[in-house]
Every structure is written in structure tokens, then in C-alpha cells.
């Protein structure tokens, strides 16, 4: 996945300003594809230049007014083509796993504390995802295919967090032996 496609997706869901996109990334898309405020603005400029989005005309022209963007047909077409493409899974990159491997070579002072910290972070993220599921995806809201797809994305996040909680618990048990 790439940032331009994440932005096109978000704008198709709801035309937004760069600031609104940043906030929406922090609340949803950012859970699985993060981006800084600067990256989003830089990408908005590129998408506009490529003819994939346009700034909506301001209702009341004012200096310094935030631009709101919408997706143009070329942007929708690009996103549709991207969705239809075949893409192999990417290898997982996890700094914690690399650090554990390094700790096996140079020693592991503090590794237990770091694993406990990560376990706590993943437990909190799992709780947050479950709260979102209860709030936003009760069974009655899973009738349409778009709602089912959004729920499946969230379920992927829930399952990944459950994996990390289980794995970190096991790792801590192993270190205790």
C-alpha cells in the first residue's frame, strides 16, 4: 500500500482538508498506514498535480483558508486499478525482533522490561480496537459489503494485536525459565 492510495481512499470516503486528513489518519487509517502531517500535505500536492484530486472551490474566499480536496475520476480510476492489482506479501519488519536477535549476541539487560512494555502497549491497542468494534461495528452495521470490508480491516488489527499479546506473554514466560 502506498500513501497516495491511502489518501485517495480517505478522500473518496469524505472530501477533507489536509488537517482533517491528518486527524482521520490518527483515528483510523493510521492504525495500519501512518503518515505525518508533512507527508500528507506533500502527497496532496503530488496528487493534485497528477490530476487525481482537486481543491474544492472555497465558499467564502479568505486568505489562509484551508483547502478541502475531492477525488477526480482519474484518481478513482488509479485507486480502482491499484485495488485490482496483484501484490505479494511484504516481509515483516519488527525492530523488537531484531533487537532480541541482537540481544542473543551481546546480552539482554533490560530486554524483559522492554518486552513487558510492549506487552502493555499491545494490550492497550487491543482494548482500543475492541472498543471501536463495539462502537462502530455492531452486527446490524455489517450488512453492506463496504461495512463488512471495513470491519474485516479492523478484525485484522484485532487479530494482529492478539498475536502480539500471546507471543509476548510466551516470550516473557520463556525468559523466566
Amino acid at each position: 500500500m502506498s500513501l497516495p492510495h491511502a489518501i485517495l481512499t480517505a478522500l473518496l470516503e469524505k472530501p477533507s482538508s489536509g488537517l482533517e486528513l491528518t486527524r482521520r489518519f490518527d483515528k483510523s487509517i493510521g492504525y495500519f498506514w501512518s503518515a505525518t502531517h508533512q507527508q500528507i500535505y506533500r502527497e496532496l500536492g503530488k496528487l493534485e498535480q497528477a490530476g487525481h484530486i482537486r481543491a474544492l472551490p472555497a465558499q467564502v474566499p479568505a486568505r489562509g483558508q484551508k483547502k478541502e480536496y475531492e477525488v477526480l475520476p482519474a484518481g478513482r480510476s488509479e485507486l480502482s486499478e491499484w485495488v485490482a492489482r496483484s501484490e505479494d506479501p511484504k516481509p515483516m519488519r519488527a525492530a523488537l525482533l531484531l533487537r532480541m536477535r541482537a540481544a542473543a549476541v551481546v546480552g539482554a539487560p533490560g530486554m524483559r522490561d522492554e518486552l513487558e512494555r510492549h506487552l502493555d502497549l499491545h494490550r492497550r491497542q487491543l482494548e482500543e480496537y475492541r472498543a471501536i468494534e463495539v462502537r462502530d461495528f455492531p452486527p446490524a452495521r455489517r450488512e453492506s459489503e463496504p461495512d463488512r470490508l471495513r470491519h474485516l480491516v479492523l478484525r485484522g488489527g484485532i487479530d494482529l494485536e492478539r498475536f502480539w499479546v500471546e507471543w509476548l506473554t510466551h516470550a516473557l514466560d520463556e525468559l523466566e525459565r
Side-chain angles (χ1 to χ4, degrees):
M1 179 177 191
S2 68
L3 182 55
H5 297 109
I7 290 172
L8 288 170
T9 299
L11 289 175
L12 279 168
E13 290 173 342
K14 180 183 178 213
S16 304
S17 68
L19 181 58
E20 290 165 338
L21 277 173
T22 301
R23 289 180 180 144
R24 289 176 56 210
F25 265 70
D26 289 344
K27 292 180 185 173
S28 62
I29 291 174
Y31 286 125
F32 54 92
W33 194 265
S34 62
T36 66
H37 187 76
Q38 292 84 4
Q39 288 171 315
I40 289 172
Y41 274 95
R42 188 170 43 247
E43 214 50 61
L44 284 169
K46 290 177 186 176
L47 287 167
E48 191 172 24
Q49 204 168 31
H52 291 155
I53 65 171
R54 73 174 178 135
L56 292 169
Q59 292 176 349
V60 180
R63 185 176 176 93
Q65 182 178 13
K66 63 183 179 182
K67 288 184 189 178
E68 196 166 272
Y69 295 91
E70 71 174 355
V71 177
L72 295 170
R76 179 180 281 276
S77 176
E78 166 57 30
L79 189 59
S80 293
E81 290 171 19
W82 177 75
V83 167
R85 269 185 231 142
S86 178
E87 186 174 291
D88 293 338
K90 302 284 187 245
M92 182 177 75
R93 294 176 69 179
L96 179 63
L97 298 179
L98 180 58
R99 290 172 55 214
M100 288 177 71
R101 181 74 182 254
V105 176
V106 298
M111 185 53 68
R112 181 171 204 34
D113 290 342
E114 184 65 354
L115 291 174
E116 287 173 351
R117 187 178 78 78
H118 276 255
L119 178 57
D120 182 56
L121 291 170
H122 284 288
R123 282 181 175 150
R124 282 192 266 153
Q125 189 65 65
L126 179 58
E127 286 176 28
E128 186 174 344
Y129 284 166
R130 286 181 171 154
I132 292 169
E133 183 177 40
V134 167
R135 182 191 71 216
D136 294 348
F137 295 100
R141 274 230 33 228
R142 297 183 214 156
E143 296 298 317
S144 71
E145 185 175 354
D147 283 338
R148 287 193 302 274
L149 288 170
R150 286 182 192 101
H151 181 248
L152 284 168
V153 170
L154 178 61
R155 284 300 314 175
I158 288 170
D159 291 346
L160 282 171
E161 293 305 325
R162 285 178 46 218
F163 161 78
W164 281 111
V165 167
E166 183 179 321
W167 184 85
L168 286 160
T169 301
H170 175 74
L172 287 164
D173 289 346
E174 280 291 311
L175 287 178
E176 195 63 33
R177 282 189 324 129

